[in-house]
């Protein structure tokens, strides 16, 4: 589809959608957001790009096959679940690391929940893009 | 009348107007004689839903609804683009004299 309006709009929208998807991923857990919705928004960015510029260009922009993104994401999510076993907790218990914590300050909190969310993000993004690219090329 | 009361009065009035616009969009989707009418009505309903999310963020005081509005505004045009491609392809199929492609 060679529409100059769509091409010009896509350049702005793809960057905006991808940045917003990362924002949604990082603010999850306590506020609305998280890996699933972030992955959907990120996948939409690539779908818009595929509609405007063609599927080959979108695959080049993604650099790795979308199937691999989903697989690696599944591995990361599994790793986040297994991590709890090393600390003697039940499977999938959230592990927290407070960097620079003092008596009355929590410091910088890092959790295995975020690792799991990143895994979910990659699974959702990879699987949605696999489906969409296959549909686009099939039509 | 305090400013807060006036704000909530305005929000209530705006709710009614947005509802009416969504209902009119529904009517056009149901009645609309051509595909283009329905697509434009769908696009108008998307914009109305963005307005509804913004109003509800004021009404409930929950700023998370603004994110919903942002996502709907960013993605809303995607349905229009996809339906435009569909209409384009349908016109191409109609023009091609080969009947085998049209029967799929």
């Amino acid at each position: 589809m060679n529409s100059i309006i769509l091409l010009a709009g896509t350049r702005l929208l793809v960057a905006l959608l991808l940045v917003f998807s990362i924002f949604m991923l990082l603010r999850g857990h306590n506020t609305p957001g998280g890996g699933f919705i972030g992955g959907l928004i990120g996948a939409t960015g690539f779908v818009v790009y595929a509609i405007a510029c063609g599927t080959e260009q979108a695959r080049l922009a993604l650099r790795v096959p979308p199937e691999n993104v989903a697989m690696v994401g599944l591995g990361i999510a599994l790793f986040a679940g297994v991590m709890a076993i090393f600390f003697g907790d039940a499977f999938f218990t959230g592990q927290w690391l407070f960097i620079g914590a003092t008596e009355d300050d929590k410091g910088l909190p890092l959790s295995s929940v975020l690792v799991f969310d990143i895994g979910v993000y990659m699974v959702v993004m990879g699987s949605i893009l696999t489906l969409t690219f296959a549909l686009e090329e099939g039509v | 009348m305090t400013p807060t009361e006036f704000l909530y009065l305005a929000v209530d009035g705006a709710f009614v107007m947005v509802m009416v616009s969504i209902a009119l969009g529904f009517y056009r989707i149901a009645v609309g004689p051509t595909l283009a009418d329905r697509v434009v009505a769908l696009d108008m309903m998307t914009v109305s839903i963005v307005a509804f999310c913004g109003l509800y963020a004021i009404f409930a005081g929950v700023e998370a609804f603004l994110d919903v509005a942002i996502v709907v505004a960013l993605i809303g045009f995607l349905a229009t683009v996809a339906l435009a491609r569909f209409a384009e392809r349908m016109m191409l199929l109609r023009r091609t004299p080969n009947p085998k492609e049209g029967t799929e």
Side-chain angles (χ1 to χ4, degrees), chain B residues 10-58:
Chain B
V11 166
D12 280 344
F15 266 133
V16 172
M17 284 190 264
V18 169
M19 297 285 189
V20 168
S21 88
I22 290 178
L24 286 174
F26 260 124
Y27 174 75
R28 185 46 65 194
I29 284 178
V31 173
T34 63
L35 179 68
D37 287 326
R38 295 194 168 101
V39 173
V40 171
L42 203 68
D43 205 40
M44 196 199 85
M45 276 171 72
T46 312
V47 176
S48 302
I49 288 166
V50 172
F52 185 88
C53 291
L55 282 172
Y56 203 79
I58 300 172

Side-chain angles (χ1 to χ4, degrees), chain A residues 1 6 13 16-17 20 23-24 27 32 37 40-41 44 47-48 50-51 136 139, chain B residues 62-68 70-71 73-75 77-78 81-82 84-85 88-89:
Chain A
M1 197 153 138
L6 189 59
L13 273 174
L16 211 60
L17 280 168
F20 196 69
F23 169 72
M24 270 296 185
R27 65 171 261 181
I37 183 72
L40 277 180
I41 296 171
T44 313
V47 169
V48 172
I51 285 177
E136 277 279 316
V139 172
Chain B
V62 182
E63 58 190 68
F65 284 106
L66 287 178
D67 296 329
V68 180
I70 291 174
V71 173
L74 281 175
I75 296 174
F77 82 103
L78 204 65
V81 171
R85 291 178 81 205
E88 205 177 54
R89 200 163 288 150

